[in-house]
Amino acid sequence: MEKKQVWKPGNMLYPVPAVMVSCGDKEGKKNIITVAWTGTVCSDPAMVSISVRPERYSYNIIRESGEFVINLTTKELTYATDWCGVKSGRDVDKFAAMNLTAASGAALQYAPIIEESPVNIECRVTERLELGSHHMFLGEIAAVLVSERYMQDSGKFELNDTGLVTYSHGEYFTLGEKIGRFGYSVKK
């Protein structure tokens, strides 16, 4: 048996998506926060979650507006993703500093999409759970916008061709080699 060390309880669930979450307040101020603690909640209704520390600038914007957009990140967006995670919107306009375009989406009133992202998931907050160091926002998906650049003539969206980025233990990675597809283990 391989020898293992016992560590104190901590989050070691990796890799995770590294996404830029955009938000906007009722006065028109827009911001981006980088989030790695995000995930699928359920498919019907389509819901996701993001976990944010209450002291973060975006926290109150999301809490008060009730909206956020999960913008998937790519290799080309990795620098901006990291930068938006270490700078505060209290001090700088992240859209301007990173040359990102805040655009209106399809369903939300305050939170913009990041135009450069290949997938924008527009969400309305349904619940906020105070869980400790982070509070979890549950969001019902109001609309999903996908870049037509990755659409095949057949109508299939080639998500895995967008250059998606993941985060693992303090480092960013692009997706690697495909090693299977859903159900391949039981396919005859």
Side-chain angles (χ1 to χ4, degrees), residues 50-121:
I50 60 170
S51 293
V52 180
R53 288 181 182 268
E55 60 269 17
R56 299 290 187 228
Y57 180 66
S58 293
Y59 176 87
N60 284 325
I61 295 173
I62 295 168
R63 192 188 73 197
E64 292 170 12
S65 72
E67 300 178 351
F68 62 91
V69 179
I70 296 174
N71 302 275
L72 299 189
T73 56
T74 62
K75 183 176 181 180
E76 291 77 22
L77 291 170
T78 303
Y79 183 87
T81 301
D82 185 69
W83 195 90
C84 288
V86 296
K87 297 291 185 177
S88 175
R90 287 184 185 94
D91 305 321
V92 64
D93 178 341
K94 295 180 186 182
F95 281 98
M98 289 291 102
N99 295 312
L100 296 172
T101 308
S104 296
L108 302 182
Q109 185 173 0
Y110 305 111
I113 67 167
I114 298 173
E115 186 70 34
E116 292 77 8
S117 171
V119 178
N120 317 97
I121 305 167

Side-chain angles (χ1 to χ4, degrees), residues 111-185:
I113 67 167
I114 298 173
E115 186 70 34
E116 292 77 8
S117 171
V119 178
N120 317 97
I121 305 167
E122 296 185 275
C123 304
R124 289 192 184 94
V125 175
T126 61
E127 193 172 346
R128 178 176 49 96
L129 304 171
E130 297 182 14
L131 301 172
S133 65
H134 289 68
H135 293 184
M136 180 182 286
F137 290 99
L138 296 178
E140 186 165 349
I141 299 172
V144 177
L145 289 77
V146 298
S147 173
E148 291 185 356
R149 179 175 11 155
Y150 300 101
M151 295 297 296
Q152 289 186 342
D153 291 339
S154 66
K156 182 181 182 208
F157 180 63
E158 290 294 344
L159 177 62
N160 293 329
D161 290 346
T162 64
L164 293 174
V165 170
T166 187
Y167 179 83
S168 182
H169 204 60
E171 299 176 309
Y172 301 98
F173 297 89
T174 56
L175 295 182
E177 173 187 357
K178 181 173 84 171
I179 59 170
R181 69 180 308 120
F182 180 75
Y184 85 100
S185 64

